[in-house]
Amino acid sequence: MNRLGLPRHHFASIPSTMDRLTELALQGAPEGTIVVAGEQTAGRGRGGRSWVTPPDAALLMSVLLRPKLAPEELSPFPLIAGLAVAEGIEALVGASLPARIDLKWPNDLFCTGRKLCGVLMQARSSRGGVEFVNLGIGVNINTPRESLPDTATSLAALTDTTWSLEAVERAVLDRLADRYDDFRTAGPAAGLAAWFERALYRNENVRIENVGTVVSGCFIGVTATGALQLRTEAGIEEIVAGDLTRGPRPL
Ligand code: BTN
């Protein structure tokens, strides 16, 4: 197995692990390099949103991968990465959690209906293929319930226990290494099947909003490229980007 997490660059406070890891990648850092921060002053999430967590309460990490793939082969990987993070957290914490970790397309982790973790993937490619992947992972670990918005949760809020950030980091990296190896050697099928098995709102009516456009339908699956499959009145539609919400419920 390809171990991830070395070299490890730790910062007490940094604008964003994404930027620091990209700098290291451009300087030729090897696959497996990670940047971890106690606090981010300009943390960011999907869709240009900001990602804010109290100091030393969350796992804030970017992981450098250098898969020998064509850019289009990478499209299912954000889902598989989210799956690996969920499995890694459960390997450490699972017995204490009140419920299984669910996955919300494309790569959010939810537990008891609240967001526990977000994953942000950025990749740089050239004509020769993928140059590097910067996989950003933010897990709410020891944030107290009263400091979280109603839509979010943390491992501490879910389990009434304080968790070691380093132990969660190691568990996530170990599972990510397994799923990454499987993805590169065997393709995305097994990871995507395991992803859909945990998918929030599967076989329910959902809405996908993407820059002002809304598509509604029944969430019936994901394609081999990681696109979401909706059964709509017009037939099966494949959605590659957007924000997923539940509903409307059938009358
Ligand atoms: C999302 O849910 O929108 C994705 C959030 C990703 C947050 C992580 S925290 C570590 C890394 N650094 C960042 O600035 N963002 C990612």
Side-chain angles (χ1 to χ4, degrees):
M1 186 189 77
N2 188 14
R3 198 166 158 85
L4 301 173
L6 286 174
R8 179 180 191 269
H9 302 263
H10 181 271
F11 298 86
S13 181
I14 194 175
S16 165
T17 62
M18 302 302 286
D19 299 336
R20 186 70 194 113
L21 191 84
T22 294
E23 287 166 10
L24 291 166
L26 293 172
Q27 290 161 13
E31 172 160 277
T33 299
I34 60 168
V35 172
V36 183
E39 178 190 41
Q40 296 184 127
T41 54
R44 56 178 190 269
R46 288 176 54 239
R49 290 178 279 255
S50 58
W51 179 266
V52 183
T53 51
D56 302 317
L59 173 63
L60 305 169
M61 170 167 75
S62 284
V63 185
L64 177 60
L65 302 173
R66 294 189 181 276
K68 292 183 178 46
L69 295 174
E72 60 274 14
E73 291 177 292
L74 210 51
S75 58
F77 191 64
L79 276 65
I80 292 169
L83 167 74
V85 177
E87 291 174 337
I89 295 170
E90 280 187 358
L92 181 75
V93 176
S96 308
L97 288 174
R100 192 175 76 154
I101 298 175
D102 299 313
L103 297 170
K104 182 158 103 60
W105 186 85
N107 50 12
D108 286 340
L109 278 65
F110 272 61
C111 193
T112 63
R114 294 185 166 88
K115 183 161 168 171
L116 173 67
C117 165
V119 175
L120 176 68
M121 192 181 102
Q122 296 178 336
R124 181 174 292 229
S125 302
S126 64
R127 249 185 261 144
V130 175
E131 278 177 30
F132 67 86
V133 172
N134 181 344
L135 189 67
I137 299 167
V139 187
N140 296 325
I141 298 185
N142 292 325
T143 316
R145 192 174 288 121
E146 54 279 11
S147 309
L148 289 160
D150 212 34
T151 50
T153 191
S154 69
L155 293 182
L158 289 163
T159 63
D160 287 324
T161 307
T162 300
W163 296 91
S164 151
L165 270 55
E166 289 75 20
V168 178
E169 175 188 317
R170 191 65 261 156
V172 164
L173 288 170
D174 285 349
R175 194 62 192 136
L176 182 62
D178 287 345
R179 283 287 180 191
Y180 176 55
D181 273 357
D182 181 62
F183 169 68
R184 281 182 307 169
T185 56
L192 290 175
W195 184 93
F196 190 60
E197 211 261 314
R198 282 180 186 261
L200 209 52
Y201 315 144
R202 68 189 166 135
N203 303 319
E204 292 186 46
N205 284 339
V206 297
R207 289 159 47 92
I208 316 288
E209 194 168 347
N210 191 21
V211 280
T213 308
V214 177
V215 186
S216 299
C218 181
F219 174 22
I220 56 168
V222 283
T223 68
T225 60
L228 182 142
Q229 286 178 309
L230 279 189
R231 190 173 54 237
T232 70
E233 284 174 3
I236 308 292
E237 292 202 31
E238 295 182 1
I239 315 282
V240 296
D243 288 318
L244 170 76
T245 48
R246 180 188 237 158
R249 289 178 193 282
L251 294 173

